[in-house]
């Protein structure tokens, strides 16, 4: 479910940007007749795409691993997306080039922030080099709780339930060190990953 929504979101955001870029280029180059035709032809499609954009965006936001606190980058992203909408509406209605360009700038900027954000989310609270290589619990709390939760059942960002995992210790360590699908790899030593895998197996798996 989470992965499907994430892929849908990426797809509709890309389509949305694509339509937007074309419209802005047409407006900026003064091809107003072409812009009218293009806008008319893509109107229904654009409505579907923007609705999906918002709905999937809201769903993914609810699944973000924040541990209760929002990150300022996230706020900037949401403000940029929300601000770009009325600016675009007014810009295109009045054929105002500056507003149209500004709105495109905001929406592409927020796309960039989303990319940075995806990389940062799930980053460890502190550097793992400060944590003993055999302290599986501390390493789990520093790196995994955000998504998987203290009991392994949290499921933020589509994280799998670790109490129900069927993976053995070496396979868990492999997921940690290499990442898998939507889970980014976690930056820690092989010894530390082994300690976390033991912690997951002994304290969360089957509990
Ligand atoms: C940013 C969120 C996030 C963080 C942080 C995170 N995970 Fe994950 N984890 C996921 C997601 C998403 C999946 C599902 C990946 C997939 O679909 O293959 C996952 C899957 C797993 C799996 C596979 C479970 C199975 O049964 O197949 C294991 C094991 C796992 N994580 C352990 C950890 C451990 C241990 C840590 C900390 C060192 C950690 N994860 C940190 C999001 C996260």
């Amino acid at each position: 479910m989470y992965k499907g929504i994430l892929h849908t979101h990426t797809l509709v955001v890309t389509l949305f940007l694509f339509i937007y870029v074309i419209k802005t280029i047409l407006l900026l180059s003064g091809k107003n007749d072409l812009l009218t035709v293009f806008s008319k032809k893509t109107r229904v499609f654009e409505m579907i795409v923007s609705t999906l954009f918002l709905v999937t965006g809201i769903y993914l936001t609810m699944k973000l691993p924040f541990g209760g606190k929002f990150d300022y980058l996230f706020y900037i992203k949401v403000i940029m997306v929300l601000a770009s909408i009325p600016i675009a509406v007014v810009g295109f209605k009045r054929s105002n080039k500056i507003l149209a360009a500004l709105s495109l700038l905001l929406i592409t900027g927020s796309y960039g922030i989303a990319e940075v954000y995806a990389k940062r989310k799930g980053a460890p609270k502190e550097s793992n080099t400060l944590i003993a290589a055999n302290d599986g619990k501390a390493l789990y709390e520093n790196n995994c709780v955000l998504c998987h939760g203290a009991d392994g059942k949290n499921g933020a960002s589509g994280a799998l339930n670790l109490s129900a995992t069927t993976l053995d210790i070496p396979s868990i360590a492999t997921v940690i060190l290499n990442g898998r699908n939507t889970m980014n790899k976690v930056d820690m030593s092989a010894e530390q990953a082994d300690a976390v895998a033991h912690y997951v197996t002994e304290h969360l798996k089957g509990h």
Side-chain angles (χ1 to χ4, degrees):
M1 172 81 168
Y2 178 85
K3 246 187 277 173
I5 304 268
L6 182 65
H7 290 151
T8 311
H9 187 70
T10 312
L11 178 71
V12 292
V13 170
T14 312
L15 286 172
F16 186 81
L17 274 175
F18 189 64
I19 297 175
Y20 228 75
V21 169
I22 294 179
K23 281 170 72 167
T24 310
I25 290 173
L26 290 176
L27 181 67
L28 293 184
S29 57
K31 302 210 165 55
N32 288 4
D33 295 346
L34 218 61
L35 176 61
T36 312
V37 175
F38 182 81
S39 303
K40 246 188 205 141
K41 287 236 158 88
T42 53
R43 211 176 69 197
V44 175
F45 184 66
E46 196 186 335
M47 262 163 58
I48 297 171
V49 166
S50 23
T51 308
L52 280 174
F53 179 179
L54 284 179
V55 172
T56 52
I58 291 166
Y59 173 86
L60 292 173
T61 303
M62 293 186 326
K63 293 280 175 183
L64 276 176
F66 282 116
K69 69 174 198 306
F70 281 86
D71 186 298
Y72 76 95
L73 259 188
F74 178 77
Y75 280 123
I76 296 178
K77 175 184 150 186
V78 171
I79 290 170
M80 281 168 97
V81 172
L82 293 181
S84 72
I85 298 169
I87 295 177
V89 170
V90 175
F92 282 107
K93 208 168 208 163
R94 301 200 184 149
S95 299
N96 184 315
K97 291 180 184 178
I98 293 171
L99 287 184
L102 176 67
S103 134
L104 183 66
L105 207 69
L106 282 174
I107 202 97
T108 39
S110 71
Y111 195 63
I113 288 183
E115 289 298 306
V116 175
Y117 200 79
K119 293 226 162 61
R120 274 180 39 160
K121 101 180 164 194
K125 285 190 207 139
E126 59 174 302
S127 169
N128 286 322
T129 55
L130 300 172
I131 302 175
N134 61 1
D135 196 345
K137 185 174 197 288
L139 287 162
Y140 182 83
E141 281 163 3
N142 193 42
N143 298 275
C144 324
V145 165
L146 202 62
C147 294
H148 289 284
D151 59 0
K153 297 173 188 164
N154 189 32
S157 270
L160 291 175
N161 181 353
L162 296 181
S163 73
T165 186
T166 54
L167 297 181
D168 60 9
I169 290 171
S171 311
I172 295 175
T174 304
V175 173
I176 297 169
L177 291 173
N178 299 338
R180 209 182 72 191
N181 298 316
T182 46
M183 175 175 150
N184 288 340
K185 67 176 174 195
V186 179
D187 194 17
M188 60 170 66
S189 70
E191 220 184 328
Q192 289 176 319
D194 184 63
V196 180
H198 272 92
Y199 177 79
V200 169
T201 305
E202 284 150 23
H203 294 93
L204 309 178
K205 188 174 169 180
H207 289 270

